[in-house]
Amino acid sequence: MSMSEFGIVYAIHIITVQFGSVVSKVCECLLRKGPLSSRDISRLAESDINHNKVKDILYLLIQHNCVQAFSIEPPDGSESKAIVQYIVLFNNILHRVRYNKFSRIVNEQLDSKCGAVLDGLLSNGRLTLGQFIERDRDSGNTIGSEAIRDSLQKLVAARFVERIPSPEPVLGNKEKEPAKRRGAKAAKILKEPETLEEQVVEAATPVDAIRFPLIFEEDSNSSLADDNSNITEGKRKQRDVDTSDSSSGVIWRPNFEEFIHRLRHKACVEIVKERRDEGCAIVLRAMLEVGRSQEKKVKTDNSAPMSVGSIYEEVIKTEAGRTMLQERVEACLDQLSATSSYLPAFVNEVNDSYIVDYKSIISVAQKDEIEAVVMRRYGKEAFRMFRYLSQEGRFVETDKIADAALTEKKDTPQFLLKMWKDGYLHMQKLAVTAPGMYTPFLLWKVNKLIVTTQMLDEMYHASLNLSLRLAHELEAEKELLLLPLDKLEGPLKERLKKVKAKRLLLSSTMFKLDDAIMLFHDF
């Protein structure tokens, strides 16, 4: 999905708050102009930034995983050298407001020491083991070099931390690449990346043996290694790759992809729990754990097939699932596989195996979010029209919409036009003609791609406004917040309580709004 206007403005705002206005000018230039060389940036940036300053800013943004350098291989016969260009990583900028969510995942699934090590990476962008230890010595709450080494190993084994990507990948020149014929099956598996950003990220990402080297040093029975990981392949590649960390020279960074992967799974479980029941949620959580290691991308439509036996084995590993008999698990799988007029199947049964349909689960939550906005903004009548058109999935005439939504025919066009003007509906004008007769009429349809793009842009706008409001509130009460608590009495103490309550409300609203952004953009 391409960046929207408010998506760009929101990303610029995040960079401005965290790095300052000068850095944000370079970032804005890349967001609006696309990939550029450092000299082009210094020429096109809207403020007077010399070339050396631009290079320093680019190194800073690379350090914090917001920009990636790359070059494109020159055509055959060309004597020109490949020019290094820089592309902004829009997704990674958005991830910067999710660091609290990432820390919570590690603290819950590993331990607080791993959380402390991750926090150091999130704050500094990239670190070596030696830099981790040095930071720990300088801190007031030291945990020791051995604890740091062990925690780092756990984080890499869980894929929360990865080795940094290639600093400057070279993309192949498409003009010189011969057309490759692939069979229908291969075409489904090998999909071309949709955007240049995805191509650059894919080219920069090393193989797993290099990306997660500590995993392949573990014994295959280790609790730190994924049982279903491609250990054999990693050990085979290890002959050609030095995966040792003895020199402390390996540079590490957070693996945002894995965090979004875990948050997507968590969201799916919450959706199923809300739309089905607790038992179905327990079974789905077990299915996600069984198939997690086989999912190579976050936006996977379906999981790998899994048997009832493997699902049940995972269910009884959890405290909540120990009381469940296999018969109960099978009943939950039947529930998850059932369809109705208002809910699709969340799990598909194929040849005695079960496959999680992520696309169906996420689409239900997206539909709920969109319909909630339509209800708040346009009222019950418009909501019924929108839901009817969503279910139909085709162009429908105005009078038929009025009949289905049980609304007055004279009022129906007004509601439809309001939603069309705001981008929630697609309209088509047609006419019936005959000798001496001309009868125009309108057809309406929900275009999901347009609606989700519109919703996402509105959510970026709302997040921007909330962030600006929070900054304004804190700036207005800056002096009060700096006063020692023991010196606050009477009205000042009450005022501080109100300021903290307002800050908590704005922060929690931003937190929930970001969950909705992930639902449409990342999941």
Side-chain angles (χ1 to χ4, degrees):
M1 191 177 286
S2 60
M3 291 179 285
S4 63
E5 176 57 28
F6 279 114
I8 292 172
V9 175
Y10 182 45
I12 294 166
H13 170 73
I14 293 169
I15 295 296
T16 304
V17 169
Q18 298 187 6
F19 298 105
S21 58
V22 178
V23 176
S24 73
K25 289 294 181 184
V26 172
C27 191
E28 181 175 7
C29 189
L30 289 171
L31 282 165
R32 296 196 179 279
K33 306 290 185 183
L36 295 169
S37 67
S38 57
R39 292 203 174 274
D40 286 338
I41 295 169
S42 59
R43 180 172 56 85
L44 294 170
E46 293 182 6
S47 57
D48 187 18
I49 311 174
N50 62 45
H51 185 232
N52 288 333
K53 183 67 174 176
V54 166
K55 288 199 290 186
D56 289 341
I57 291 171
L58 288 170
Y59 294 148
L60 173 68
L61 291 170
I62 290 170
Q63 169 70 25
H64 287 273
N65 309 301
C66 297
V67 164
Q68 172 70 49
F70 74 101
S71 58
I72 298 176
E73 187 179 354
D76 285 338
S78 174
E79 296 182 358
S80 61
K81 292 183 179 179
I83 298 173
V84 178
Q85 299 182 66
Y86 299 87
I87 186 168
V88 69
L89 303 178
F90 177 72
N91 291 343
N92 286 7
I93 294 176
L94 294 187
H95 293 332
R96 298 191 66 80
V97 301
R98 297 167 184 154
Y99 284 179
N100 287 339
K101 294 177 181 179
F102 299 163
S103 293
R104 183 181 296 179
I105 290 172
V106 168
N107 280 297
E108 288 176 355
Q109 298 189 10
L110 298 178
D111 55 47
S112 59
K113 289 181 180 179
C114 291
V117 171
L118 176 71
D119 289 341
L121 262 187
L122 294 174
S123 300
N124 293 273
R126 303 176 176 197
L127 292 171
T128 63
L129 177 59
Q131 288 170 329
F132 274 117
I133 295 170
E134 187 178 339
R135 281 184 72 258
D136 181 63
R137 285 179 188 149
D138 295 339
S139 69
N141 189 20
T142 181
I143 61 173
S145 59
E146 282 303 313
I148 289 173
R149 189 184 296 272
D150 291 344
S151 297
L152 182 60
Q153 181 133 334
K154 289 179 183 178
L155 287 164
V156 177
R159 303 204 171 198
F160 291 132
V161 167
E162 63 182 357
R163 193 194 292 241
I164 62 168
S166 170
E168 189 188 311
V170 179
L171 298 187
N173 191 317
K174 288 188 176 181
E175 293 179 3
K176 60 182 278 188
E177 289 179 2
K180 296 179 182 179
R181 295 186 64 185
R182 294 191 180 117
K185 186 175 180 182
K188 289 181 181 178
I189 298 171
L190 303 173
K191 294 182 180 178
E192 288 293 322
E194 294 178 356
T195 64
L196 180 59
E197 180 181 342
E198 288 173 336
Q199 292 181 49
V200 172
V201 169
E202 186 176 307
T205 303
V207 295
D208 282 0
I210 301 174
R211 191 180 178 190
F212 307 106
L214 297 180
I215 291 177
F216 303 105
E217 294 174 7
E218 296 293 325
D219 183 79
S220 60
N221 294 322
S222 171
S223 61
L224 294 179
D226 284 333
D227 293 337
N228 296 319
S229 297
N230 197 350
I231 302 294
T232 306
E233 180 186 354
K235 288 183 176 179
R236 186 175 64 249
K237 291 178 181 176
Q238 208 170 16
R239 290 193 293 268
D240 303 317
V241 178
D242 179 18
T243 60
S244 67
D245 192 29
S246 57
S247 65
S248 301
V250 176
I251 306 174
W252 305 100
R253 73 169 190 175
N255 179 14
F256 296 133
E257 186 179 57
E258 182 63 26
F259 286 110
I260 297 299
H261 200 176
R262 304 281 179 125
L263 288 170
R264 188 190 196 219
H265 282 186
K266 183 180 178 182
C268 287
V269 172
E270 290 299 319
I271 294 164
V272 168
K273 183 178 178 180
E274 183 181 339
R275 303 310 291 258
R276 293 296 186 189
D277 58 36
E278 180 72 33
C280 289
I282 292 170
V283 171
L284 182 76
R285 187 183 291 112
M287 295 180 75
L288 300 182
E289 193 62 31
V290 170
R292 180 170 60 84
S293 61
Q294 297 179 52
E295 295 172 21
K296 302 304 179 186
K297 296 290 182 183
V298 173
K299 290 186 178 181
T300 305
D301 287 347
N302 298 289
S303 72
M306 55 196 83
S307 66
V308 176
S310 62
I311 297 167
Y312 184 64
E313 284 179 17
E314 190 63 39
V315 167
I316 59 177
K317 288 180 184 177
T318 63
E319 185 177 349
R322 287 193 190 110
T323 58
M324 295 181 72
L325 300 176
Q326 184 163 327
E327 184 180 358
R328 170 67 174 137
V329 171
E330 290 174 357
C332 288
L333 288 169
D334 289 339
Q335 268 186 278
L336 291 167
S337 305
T339 59
S340 66
S341 58
Y342 61 94
L343 273 185
F346 293 150
V347 169
N348 297 318
E349 184 179 1
V350 181
N351 298 328
D352 296 326
S353 294
Y354 293 89
I355 299 170
V356 179
D357 191 337
Y358 292 111
K359 192 173 182 180
S360 290
I361 298 172
I362 297 298
S363 67
V364 166
Q366 289 175 341
K367 178 172 165 287
D368 288 348
E369 285 286 339
I370 294 169
E371 289 182 352
V373 170
V374 171
M375 171 73 89
R376 287 196 303 268
R377 187 171 297 178
Y378 306 107
K380 291 182 180 179
E381 292 84 356
F383 163 74
R384 290 199 299 268
M385 296 175 199
F386 186 87
R387 171 172 277 189
Y388 169 70
L389 287 172
S390 295
Q391 291 172 343
E392 288 296 305
R394 60 182 178 84
F395 281 105
V396 182
E397 192 181 348
T398 307
D399 287 348
K400 288 184 179 179
I401 297 171
D403 292 337
L406 303 175
T407 55
E408 293 288 338
K409 290 189 177 181
K410 60 182 179 64
D411 298 331
T412 302
Q414 297 174 10
F415 289 113
L416 294 170
L417 283 168
K418 281 182 184 178
M419 290 189 282
W420 169 72
K421 286 178 181 178
D422 290 342
Y424 284 84
L425 294 181
H426 187 56
M427 180 180 66
Q428 196 172 70
K429 295 181 180 179
L430 294 177
V432 175
T433 58
M437 183 183 72
Y438 178 82
T439 307
F441 62 94
L442 300 176
L443 298 176
W444 308 87
K445 178 186 177 183
V446 173
N447 187 316
K448 188 178 178 184
L449 180 60
I450 294 173
V451 171
T452 52
T453 303
Q454 174 77 10
M455 279 281 296
L456 196 53
D457 199 44
E458 290 177 2
M459 286 189 283
Y460 289 140
H461 192 185
S463 293
L464 174 65
N465 287 340
L466 284 168
S467 182
L468 290 170
R469 176 65 185 273
L470 179 60
H472 172 75
E473 294 291 340
L474 295 178
E475 180 65 26
E477 301 291 352
K478 183 170 60 175
E479 294 180 0
L480 177 66
L481 292 169
L482 291 173
L483 290 175
L485 291 175
D486 56 348
K487 292 187 178 181
L488 295 176
E489 294 180 359
L492 283 178
K493 197 170 185 179
E494 288 300 315
R495 189 169 141 204
L496 181 63
K497 283 183 180 178
K498 289 181 180 178
V499 171
K500 287 185 175 179
K502 194 178 291 186
R503 180 174 62 183
L504 180 62
L505 176 63
L506 289 170
S507 298
S508 61
T509 305
M510 288 173 62
F511 192 89
K512 290 176 183 176
L513 188 55
D514 183 64
D515 286 343
I517 288 173
M518 285 194 291
L519 184 66
F520 285 91
H521 179 72
D522 299 280
F523 297 167

